[in-house]
């Protein structure tokens, strides 16, 4: 909350927490619905979130206010509470100290946490979608409600990747593009489902921590590996039960009899001919165009990628399993007298291996990482000499969290961080209409380090005093997140 008296115009009050500078009537909210004029006071509407470690440690949760009311001026006993930046307010353009600069003492170590809701014009999300299905060519525009908000970026092992948001889409395009970009990445960060369409590609419903839905089909499994890896993993289980196996994959399609794994086992040659480009024995690239069919290819009929069997090598009755990398699609054939594959029921002995492929696939999820750069002015709310904060983060003296969640800070210049939004308490992200996202950010360090980097020491407030003065919302620490106030961990590396 700004610490200088706000400017008034009659009974309207000016919010200076972002460049929009709304004049807000009594009882009304500003353009972002984050601030309101409450009887002449400018107040942050959402409750300020305090994390409570008791649940994480298996201790009974006590009412936050019960303990706060008992405050007698001493520090609250060992760091069971953490003041997050969620709902804390912003001090735009941060020539003022951050809204909360909280001191606490943990196991005899004086600690400081500087808390602010940052306004991020330079921000976006990286989305990992566990699917083999082709979402669209690399670099294709990704749209929300018709507006381009990002693009398809390089795929990863078993996953398609999208890069959404960023300053060019937020502020570098038209107004509508900026608004749609802001809406979409805000919803993704707050755990809501967002429908995205890829030019010349698929429509995908993405929600952090949930399976993606590609062209209306719920994706259940992430592939076990590429076709070649699948041959390597399951060759032993197929050996002796079937003469040939083809694992269809958009990246590398594997052929058991030619593959090194088959050779080691002594699998006989079968005279099978594949389309595509042979990379190394038993490994084929580009057997088909990418798509949403078998193994992330456009294949509907698996036989379409086979040439005629070599009559000098193949034999009538030769058995062949064709399977995708998730096991979701599979078919079994035997060659007739003319060496043509004829579909047959899957023998029980092979059904087990198909189930094993499926069993080894992990559940498909969409993962959303928020990425933002804590820029020059935000840092000024922490220290009079902002570059020292950057150095302190790089030296791992200052621990950065986002709503209490651990972040990854990129090496190199600036404080550019990424956070898994499912590790951040719900609805922690907001927006301002510039447009930009508002994200919580906390900097925790030892008091001596804070003093050394030129921190706003005159604005320090003891943790207990903050707790007593805040009618905040207490949330349990999310399971699996490290406790941000542990002094022994205060030199944790972010990388
Ligand atoms: S948009 Fe929100 S933060 Fe910005 S000035 Fe208006 S009320 Fe304040």
């Amino acid at each position: 909350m700004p610490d200088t008296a706000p400017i008034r115009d009659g009974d309207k009050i000016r919010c200076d927490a972002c460049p929009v500078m709304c004049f807000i009537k009594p009882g009304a909210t500003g353009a972002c619905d984050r601030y309101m004029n409450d009887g002449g006071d400018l107040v942050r509407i959402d409750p300020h979130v305090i994390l409570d470690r008791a649940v994480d440690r298996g201790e009974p949760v006590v009412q936050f206010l019960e303990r706060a009311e008992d405050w007698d001026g001493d520090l609250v006993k060992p760091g069971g509470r953490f003041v997050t930046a969620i709902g804390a307010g912003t001090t735009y353009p941060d020539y003022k100290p951050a809204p909360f600069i909280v001191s606490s003492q943990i196991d005899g170590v004086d600690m400081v946490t500087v808390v602010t809701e940052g306004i991020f014009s330079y921000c976006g999300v990286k989305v990992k979608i566990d699917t083999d299905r082709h979402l669209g060519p690399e670099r294709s525009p990704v749209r929300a409600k018709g507006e381009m908000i990002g693009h398809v970026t390089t795929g990863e092992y078993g996953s398609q990747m999208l890069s959404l948001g960023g300053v060019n889409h937020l502020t570098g395009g038209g107004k509508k593009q900026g608004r749609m970009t802001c809406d979409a990445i805000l919803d993704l960060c707050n755990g809501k489902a967002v429908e995205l369409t890829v030019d010349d590609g698929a429509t995908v419903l993405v929600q952090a921590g949930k399976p993606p839905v590609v062209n209306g089909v719920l994706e259940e499994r992430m592939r076990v590996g590429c076709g070649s890896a699948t041959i390597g993993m399951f060759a032993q289980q197929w050996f002796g039960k079937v003469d040939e196996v083809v694992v269809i994959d958009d990246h590398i399609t594997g052929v058991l009899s030619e593959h090194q794994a088959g050779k080691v086992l002594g699998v006989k040659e079968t005279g099978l001919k594949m389309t595509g480009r042979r990379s190394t024995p038993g490994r084929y690239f580009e057997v088909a165009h990418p798509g949403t069919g078998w193994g992330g290819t456009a294949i509907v009929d698996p036989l379409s990628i086979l040439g005629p069997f070599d009559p000098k090598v193949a034999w009538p009755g030769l058995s062949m399993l064709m399977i995708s990398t998730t096991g979701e699609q599979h078919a079994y054939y035997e060659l007739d007298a003319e060496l043509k594959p004829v579909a047959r029921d899957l023998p029980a002995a092979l059904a087990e291996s198909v189930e094993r492929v499926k069993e080894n696939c992990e559940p498909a999820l969409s993962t959303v990482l928020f990425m933002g750069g804590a820029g020059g002015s935000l840092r000024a709310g922490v220290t009079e000499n902002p570059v020292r904060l950057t150095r302190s983060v790089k030296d791992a003296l200052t621990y950065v969290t986002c709503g209490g969640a651990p972040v990854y800070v990129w090496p190199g210049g600036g404080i550019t961080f990424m956070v898994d939004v499912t590790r951040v308490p719900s609805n922690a992200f907001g927006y301002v209409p510039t447009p930009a996202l508002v994200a919580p950010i906390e900097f925790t360090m030892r008091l001596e380090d804070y003093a050394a980097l030129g921190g706003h020491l005159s604005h320090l407030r003891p943790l207990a005093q903050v707790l007593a003065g805040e009618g905040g919302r207490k949330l349990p620490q999310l399971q699996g997140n490290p406790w941000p106030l542990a002094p022994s961990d205060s030199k944790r590396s972010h990388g």
Side-chain angles (χ1 to χ4, degrees), residues 15-22 24 29-35 431-433:
C15 174
D16 64 355
C18 93
V20 178
M21 300 277 184
C22 301
I24 309 173
T29 61
C32 65
D33 289 334
R34 295 167 61 238
Y35 285 91
Y431 82 103
V432 291

Side-chain angles (χ1 to χ4, degrees), residues 444-476:
T444 298
M445 67 210 88
R446 291 165 195 255
L447 177 61
E448 67 197 67
D449 292 329
Y450 190 49
L453 62 83
H456 303 295
L457 290 178
S458 60
H459 287 76
L460 272 181
R461 283 193 274 167
L463 173 62
Q465 189 188 58
V466 172
L467 295 177
E470 283 291 297
R473 177 171 154 232
K474 184 169 52 97
L475 290 180

